[in-house]
Amino acid sequence: MNELFKQIPQVSKLLEDPQIAAFLDVFFQQEIKTEIEKSLKYFRKQIKNKMLTKLAYRDVVKNIVNRLKTKNKYSLRKVINGTGTIVHTNLGRSLLSDTCLEHVVNVCSSYNNLEYNLEYGCRGSRYEHVEEMMASIVGSESCLIVNNNAAATMLCVAEVAANKEVVVSRGELVEIGGSFRIPEIIELSGAILKEVGTTNRTHLRDYELATNDNTAMYLKVHPSNYTIQGFTKNVSNEDITTLAFKMNGNRSDKIITMEDIGSGVLIDLSAKGLKEKTVQESLSSGIDLVTFSGDKLLGGPQAGVIVGKRYLIEKIKRHPLVRALRVGKMTIAALEATLREYFDEKNAIESIPTLKMIYKTEESLYNEAKTLSDKINNLGKISSEVIKLDSTVGGGALPLSQLPSYGVSIAYANLSVEKIETILRKNQTPIIGRIFNNQYVLDVRTLCGEDIDIIVNALCRLGER
Ligand SMILES: *Cc1c(COP(=O)(O)O)cnc(C)c1O
């Protein structure tokens, strides 16, 4: 064993090996060194476990070259979403439009007026760039933008209800993927959760009976990723605000009503069969504060939006947490460019990728699937069919709503569905598909740009294996 250990080549020697040094065109020496060290660690382990009887220099080089060949410059990179889930939290949620990205690049590649008032030549506020526009689009008195919806919700509860009680229906104690849990957010905000009702039924009187001198907030939460069906009862925003008004009659510190609507839809999607409450509708029910995400159905960058009553938002803006949760210039630029599109609804549908995908017609989806399937079949060997399936909106929005769509199935010789999935996932540009009826499928609704060509290219090489 000791002999084998002694045969492990020196890192410095490997760095100079022509086959390895060739990668200096692509990677920094430090990156190559890291791969060499990983490789040597692997061989050391092999030796230790008595898995090797001899160690040839060229085997070590080969191992390193293989690592470098499959290594990517970046860890965070483009993937192709063939899952049909439009707002896919694991795949980065909403895509940004070209106009939006142009604005981000323009603002961020130069100095900008992030916190500079150009009219008066003095210090300005980063929030001014988008908040007025957001407020005017959704019909709110005021607005505050923070890092994400979790931050928005936490901040509101912290300002309004620290050391006081927040009443929430047991049917709305939501957990969203990525560890956003309403009970924990309330606790973190320093407030006390007062659960009311049951999982399936909560009545207005439950809120009323739970109200005491220490009650600071009635919080409604959109059950984004589940539905409760059957014998159910939920209290409407209107009833909640009416109750708050009644209870506030002779109180000095008023009970605040708030709704975390999660998704932040700004336009009516019912034409596509999607019944999601818009931000405007939530506000017009008289609720004091509404929070939502910037990168779900709104179709912008990751952000959290607080809209509602001006006097409350002014107070929230002075909370020390705001500084910790603030957004950067890239977010502000992307949000401003995305929001502008909403001044004309038709334009928003055509230019915001998330909305564009929702509005793809069945005819165009079929044509796209047919084009892809024909191109795949033309490769020979690989067989593909157009199939009908359903896309989902995703991202904790409209859990059960599905959009009729088309996709292509992909089958190759005797490769298992799982094997095809793995090979495509490990493609240079990873392709993420879906397994449906025991077939590997790609839903074309979430494909864009040159995705079809990349898929065909990847499959072309699958045929060569
Ligand atoms: C998605 C969601 C959140 C979390 O939003 P982030 O922007 O991811 O922080 C919170 N509440 C609801 C109801 C949601 O759907």
Side-chain angles (χ1 to χ4, degrees):
M1 202 195 283
N2 275 341
E3 273 313 302
L4 280 177
F5 275 125
K6 275 187 207 152
Q7 284 168 27
I8 292 178
Q10 297 272 314
V11 174
S12 55
K13 184 178 169 200
L14 288 164
L15 273 172
E16 279 164 20
D17 186 285
Q19 280 190 65
I20 294 171
F23 285 90
L24 280 170
D25 285 348
V26 191
F27 298 116
F28 291 107
Q29 193 181 54
Q30 187 55 46
E31 292 172 312
I32 295 176
K33 209 169 147 194
T34 305
E35 291 310 308
I36 293 176
E37 278 158 1
K38 276 192 216 162
S39 172
L40 297 187
K41 192 172 167 191
Y42 160 82
F43 281 110
R44 265 184 225 110
K45 200 168 161 196
Q46 292 282 93
I47 296 169
K48 207 171 139 209
N49 295 340
K50 302 197 167 64
M51 312 273 284
L52 281 182
T53 50
K54 59 181 181 30
L55 182 66
Y57 173 77
R58 65 168 189 281
D59 290 341
V60 178
V61 171
K62 200 171 150 200
N63 182 278
I64 295 164
V65 166
N66 279 340
R67 283 168 192 270
L68 290 168
K69 269 190 191 158
T70 52
K71 182 180 164 65
N72 283 283
K73 222 171 188 172
Y74 294 108
S75 164
L76 180 60
R77 56 209 167 98
K78 173 191 167 92
V79 309
I80 290 176
N81 178 5
T83 66
T85 299
I86 300 171
V87 181
H88 198 306
T89 294
N90 300 151
L91 302 184
R93 292 194 183 163
S94 286
L95 316 189
L96 301 176
S97 70
D98 290 343
T99 318
C100 172
L101 291 171
E102 244 170 62
H103 185 53
V104 174
V105 169
N106 187 26
V107 163
C108 297
S109 58
S110 51
Y111 288 104
N112 52 65
N113 60 336
L114 181 65
E115 291 191 351
Y116 188 72
N117 184 317
L118 291 172
E119 191 167 344
Y120 300 107
C122 60
R123 197 197 156 110
S125 156
R126 68 176 58 220
Y127 297 106
E128 278 165 11
H129 304 288
V130 278
E131 288 174 352
E132 207 176 296
M133 185 170 11
M134 176 70 88
S136 97
I137 287 169
V138 302
S140 166
E141 290 177 9
S142 183
C143 169
L144 172 63
I145 309 289
V146 289
N147 186 52
N148 55 14
N149 188 21
T153 306
M154 190 178 103
L155 184 60
C156 292
V157 176
E159 173 56 41
V160 171
N163 301 314
K164 294 184 186 160
E165 290 179 11
V166 177
V167 185
V168 188
S169 161
R170 288 198 169 89
E172 297 177 0
L173 291 171
V174 175
E175 172 175 323
I176 311 287
S179 67
F180 174 92
R181 307 174 97 193
I182 285 291
E184 287 169 11
I185 291 282
I186 291 175
E187 192 183 324
L188 203 61
S189 308
I192 304 150
L193 171 63
K194 180 96 178 181
E195 300 175 32
V196 294
T198 60
T199 304
N200 57 330
R201 288 174 73 85
T202 301
H203 304 270
L204 191 59
R205 65 170 184 277
D206 295 326
Y207 285 87
E208 183 162 4
L209 288 172
T211 308
N212 59 44
D213 289 345
N214 204 29
T215 304
M217 181 185 272
Y218 295 149
L219 174 61
K220 295 278 297 168
V221 185
H222 182 53
S224 289
N225 46 10
Y226 63 98
T227 53
I228 299 174
Q229 291 181 325
F231 186 54
T232 64
K233 167 112 180 58
N234 206 340
V235 178
S236 70
N237 280 4
E238 284 77 5
D239 286 346
I240 289 280
T241 52
T242 308
L243 177 67
F245 185 77
K246 180 177 128 188
M247 301 309 256
N248 281 339
N250 42 18
R251 286 171 70 109
S252 53
D253 52 340
K254 308 284 184 220
I255 297 169
I256 304 304
T257 56
M258 170 166 148
E259 184 173 35
D260 167 11
I261 57 168
S263 199
V265 198
L266 304 188
I267 61 173
D268 180 8
L269 298 175
S270 56
K272 297 303 289 180
L274 304 177
K275 290 185 182 46
E276 181 81 358
K277 185 165 34 171
T278 61
V279 176
Q280 292 87 327
E281 281 172 303
S282 177
L283 280 171
S284 64
S285 67
I287 215 113
D288 294 319
L289 293 168
V290 178
T291 60
F292 54 95
S293 296
D295 56 355
K296 290 184 180 171
L297 287 176
L298 191 150
Q302 179 190 306
V305 185
I306 305 170
V307 290
K309 299 276 156 57
R310 183 186 310 278
Y311 80 97
L312 285 171
I313 293 180
E314 288 309 314
K315 267 176 36 182
I316 293 167
K317 282 184 178 173
R318 289 192 293 270
H319 195 287
L321 266 177
V322 171
R323 178 63 177 80
L325 304 175
R326 82 177 187 187
V327 285
K329 60 193 173 189
M330 285 193 269
T331 301
I332 294 172
L335 194 58
E336 181 177 16
T338 306
L339 274 183
R340 255 198 89 238
E341 311 283 4
Y342 280 97
F343 283 127
D344 177 348
E345 200 173 299
K346 191 164 158 280
N347 167 67
I349 291 166
E350 281 163 10
S351 55
I352 297 173
T354 297
L355 297 178
K356 209 159 128 183
M357 287 179 194
I358 291 176
Y359 276 84
K360 279 190 186 176
T361 63
E362 282 185 55
E363 190 192 349
S364 74
L365 289 161
Y366 176 82
N367 290 338
E368 225 177 305
K370 184 85 175 79
T371 306
L372 178 56
S373 167
D374 286 349
K375 284 189 177 183
I376 296 170
N377 283 317
N378 280 343
L379 296 173
K381 286 189 181 181
I382 300 161
S383 63
S384 170
E385 274 175 48
V386 173
I387 53 169
K388 228 173 148 27
L389 35 67
D390 288 315
S391 313
T392 50
V393 175
L398 310 142
L400 299 185
S401 298
Q402 304 202 305
L403 296 162
S405 183
Y406 286 94
V408 299
S409 63
I410 291 165
Y412 175 65
N414 53 2
L415 279 191
S416 69
V417 167
E418 289 74 20
K419 187 76 189 164
I420 295 176
E421 189 277 331
T422 311
I423 293 170
L424 293 180
R425 173 161 45 82
K426 298 204 165 164
N427 189 48
Q428 180 79 34
T429 302
I431 299 166
I432 314 296
R434 168 170 147 201
I435 292 170
F436 173 75
N437 284 344
N438 213 21
Q439 283 178 298
Y440 181 85
V441 298
L442 295 171
D443 185 333
V444 295
R445 186 183 291 275
T446 42
L447 300 184
C448 45
E450 279 121 45
D451 287 358
I452 284 189
D453 294 335
I454 299 173
I455 293 165
V456 173
N457 252 321
L459 289 171
C460 192
R461 281 191 309 269
L462 178 72
E464 284 162 14
R465 296 167 83 91

